[in-house]
Amino acid sequence: MGAGPPRKSGRVAFYDFDGTLVSGNVVTRYAWFAKRHPDRVRAGWRYAKALLGVPLWLALDAVSRRMFNVVFFRQYRGLEETWLRSQASELLETVIKREQFRFARDRIALDKSAGFRLVLVTGGLDFAMEPAAEHFGFDDLMANRMVFRDGIATGEIVPPLLAGHAKAEELRKYAERHGFDMGAARAYSDSGSDIPMLEAVGCPFATNPDARLRKEAAARGWRTLDLDVSPDADRIRGAG
């Protein structure tokens, strides 16, 4: 039997994006794209449709993050790949930088200085996340990828769709592929839907946690962060 890849001397830290490092999400980013569509009539139609769909997106997300992603990303159907990619840098400058939590980059810098390889693991779309990954200083990006046919978005996602247990499994595959020990790895997320991701590592951080994750973190003794308050663990609004 093969011994597998050698263990690296360094460690790996996996970060979720929406709600963890920034206050925005895939819905607000799509709405931004929709408003900027070069055809003003289509821009208005797409933006209005996105706003009207918010109650549905919230309901779907409450049931299943995977189901939400499958349904929501259909909104991109018909958009040109070259145009979407051309807008990504402006999205970073005008939206994402304004939404980042005060100490998000400080926390990432702490992990980098401690020798961690930094991996952004997000359910967002790769073309939107690539400039953001560079801005925050990540070494690698794992993101959902839109299927394009003849340069036009189909609204489908290239498998595997990064959500829930599938997201956690991709972390394990990454660690195995690169020779990292998951028992020494860190993971950061804000959402109860990412409990499998946090369970997969030896050092999970409930970061700006929602109610479900806050309860789970307290029960399991997981460390907490509020990146609008401090880059340090267990400094969170309402604690102590």
Side-chain angles (χ1 to χ4, degrees):
M1 291 179 62
R7 294 294 179 195
K8 293 189 176 181
S9 58
R11 295 171 291 175
V12 62
F14 300 103
Y15 282 78
D16 175 55
F17 193 68
D18 296 341
T20 302
L21 299 177
V22 300
S23 60
N25 54 53
V26 295
V27 177
T28 58
R29 286 194 290 277
Y30 169 74
W32 183 87
F33 280 117
K35 285 183 73 173
R36 290 173 64 87
H37 192 285
D39 183 316
R40 302 319 300 163
V41 173
R42 291 184 181 180
W45 174 78
R46 282 184 174 273
Y47 184 69
K49 185 180 177 185
L51 293 181
L52 291 172
V54 168
L56 172 62
W57 315 140
L58 291 173
L60 285 174
D61 193 44
V63 173
S64 165
R65 179 61 58 86
R66 177 180 178 81
M67 184 187 303
F68 161 79
N69 283 338
V70 168
V71 175
F72 176 74
F73 285 131
R74 293 173 186 165
Q75 302 303 301
Y76 280 87
R77 186 181 298 156
L79 293 176
E80 294 184 4
E81 180 179 10
T82 54
W83 179 79
L84 287 167
R85 293 189 181 279
S86 74
Q87 302 299 304
S89 295
E90 186 69 14
L91 174 67
L92 171 67
E93 294 298 326
T94 62
V95 178
I96 291 173
K97 285 186 177 180
R98 293 205 317 262
E99 295 175 339
Q100 69 185 32
F101 291 118
R102 182 179 177 188
F103 293 103
R105 296 182 76 192
D106 299 83
R107 182 66 205 184
I108 293 167
L110 286 174
D111 278 350
K112 191 174 188 68
S113 66
F116 284 86
R117 184 164 185 83
L118 305 172
V119 184
L120 181 59
V121 187
T122 172
L125 294 169
D126 60 347
F127 57 79
M129 291 292 97
E130 286 165 1
E134 183 176 352
H135 165 69
F136 282 97
F138 284 98
D139 300 299
D140 282 319
L141 169 66
M142 299 168 63
N144 280 321
R145 293 178 294 140
M146 180 69 65
V147 175
F148 293 95
R149 292 199 181 98
D150 298 322
I152 303 299
T154 65
E156 300 171 352
I157 296 297
V158 177
L161 192 151
L162 294 178
H165 288 282
K167 191 174 180 181
E169 183 59 27
E170 290 305 304
L171 266 61
R172 295 187 187 95
K173 289 179 181 178
Y174 178 95
E176 181 176 0
R177 189 162 61 247
H178 295 280
F180 288 111
D181 179 4
M182 286 295 278
R186 292 178 175 179
Y188 299 80
S189 181
D190 70 299
S191 174
S193 68
D194 274 339
I195 288 173
M197 169 182 171
L198 297 174
E199 289 175 328
V201 302
C203 191
F205 288 85
T207 308
N208 320 318
D210 62 17
R212 178 185 170 198
L213 181 55
R214 186 189 293 264
K215 181 178 179 180
E216 194 73 17
R220 299 192 186 208
W222 288 349
R223 281 173 281 188
T224 57
L225 290 167
D226 185 330
L227 292 180
D228 254 353
V229 173
S230 169
D232 300 318
D234 305 314
R235 298 282 298 278
I236 189 161
R237 290 186 184 94

